[in-house]
Amino acid sequence: MLKNITRSPISKLLLISATALFVSGCSQKINSINDTVRVAVQGTADIHKSANTIAALPYASTYVRIDNQSQLFMVLALAESATGETVTTPSSKTSPPLLKWLASDHGMLVTQSGRIVKTVNLAAGNLSTTTSKTVDPLTLGLHLATTPTTWQRHIDWQPGYHNGYQLDSQFVFDQPEVLTINGKSVPVLRFSENVTVKQLERHYSNTFWIEQRTGKVVKSQQYIAPDLPSVEMTILKPFG
């Protein structure tokens, strides 16, 4: 079992970031941001945006939930290629962009093909690097019969000196489902990723919901690293 972390400060950081970005073009910037800081300190209910609001924003967007805290609304701050160049459209399957979701104090979640591969400046701890000699099955598409069901990667994370830990993954198809995302019904396939960290004798599970037709991750619940929080992400408006 992974250690539960309550009242993670990262949820407050994400809430402040998302609201600050959203109100940046409005005339009542100061009041809105002050209200957001007050709500972040006192707590808030889940945030929900209308389909029209989401469509009107020029950014990719997602709902985010850290552990069991309130649902947050985030927008994409930057998309980069593996070489660090800014990209405006998705790349090929073998080199998907790194999507960076940024908080106001520079706290960051970085995803690739729906997987969290790095975090920066999070209070609870950070995933520093994710490396693998083979392509992530999420990138290839779990819906395809040709996609491997096992994968191996190495990660570094903090706090502490957790470097070069090997993670062995086994992907298992659970069942088809229909999610309601942004007011629309989305047929998906749910997969579990059972992860083993042999050096720590630890096991945990991530869950990915992929669109049946494209194989793209539309929702996930995944742990950043052993003993770090779980993150649930639901893509509302995909990049590109």
Side-chain angles (χ1 to χ4, degrees), residues 15-102:
L15 173 60
I16 294 169
S17 172
T19 308
L21 285 170
F22 178 71
V23 302
S24 62
C26 301
S27 60
Q28 298 179 339
K29 290 181 183 178
I30 302 302
N31 289 338
S32 297
I33 294 175
N34 286 341
D35 289 343
T36 301
V37 172
R38 174 181 55 78
V39 171
V41 173
Q42 297 177 359
T44 183
D46 287 354
I47 293 178
H48 295 278
K49 298 292 183 181
S50 69
N52 289 338
T53 297
I54 293 167
L57 287 174
Y59 314 106
S61 58
T62 179
Y63 284 140
V64 173
R65 189 185 300 275
I66 308 297
D67 279 342
N68 295 318
Q69 302 305 309
S70 299
Q71 177 174 274
L72 313 170
F73 178 74
M74 295 292 296
V75 295
L76 180 65
L78 186 66
E80 290 184 341
S81 67
T83 58
E85 298 175 345
T86 300
V87 297
T88 56
T89 57
S91 304
S92 67
K93 284 189 174 183
T94 56
S95 57
L98 296 169
L99 304 183
K100 299 188 174 183
W101 313 85
L102 186 65

Side-chain angles (χ1 to χ4, degrees), residues 100-111:
K100 299 188 174 183
W101 313 85
L102 186 65
S104 60
D105 70 339
H106 306 294
M108 183 189 301
L109 299 176
V110 183
T111 62

